[in-house]
Amino acid sequence: MESRDYLEMTFRSINCFSDDGKLDVNELDSLVEIAMRDGAIDDNEKRVLRNIIDRLTDAELTDDMQARVQGLQEQHGI
């Protein structure tokens, strides 16, 4: 059976962005935690995370956020 965690990730990301209009490292980590529940990030979860990362603004891309995004890209191919 296919994981539907990507749907929860999508819903939660909407809440994160609508909260203050920005995504911070802790919020991104909470989304990654959802994806990692089953021990791996599947293609649907990668797609959702890529879409979220692509929407980050310069203001959101702090040094910490850039390091986290780079780590995700290197570790999980996102």
Side-chain angles (χ1 to χ4, degrees):
M1 185 168 143
E2 180 181 53
S3 170
R4 298 181 63 80
D5 288 343
Y6 72 96
L7 295 173
E8 181 179 351
M9 292 169 60
T10 301
F11 178 74
R12 290 253 184 111
S13 72
I14 292 167
N15 288 336
C16 291
F17 280 109
S18 65
D19 176 33
D20 62 0
K22 298 178 186 174
L23 185 74
D24 64 34
V25 173
N26 293 329
E27 292 168 330
L28 178 59
D29 284 342
S30 71
L31 298 173
V32 172
E33 285 177 21
I34 295 168
M36 292 296 297
R37 279 185 197 157
D38 59 0
I41 300 178
D42 67 31
D43 289 340
N44 283 325
E45 293 161 343
K46 287 179 183 181
R47 178 180 47 79
V48 169
L49 286 170
R50 260 189 236 107
N51 286 335
I52 291 166
I53 290 168
D54 287 347
R55 287 179 165 67
L56 295 175
T57 65
D58 290 339
E60 292 165 296
L61 286 171
T62 62
D63 290 341
D64 289 341
M65 181 65 91
Q66 287 179 355
R68 183 64 174 124
V69 167
Q70 184 176 0
L72 288 170
Q73 291 169 333
E74 291 171 359
Q75 188 175 17
H76 300 287
I78 295 171

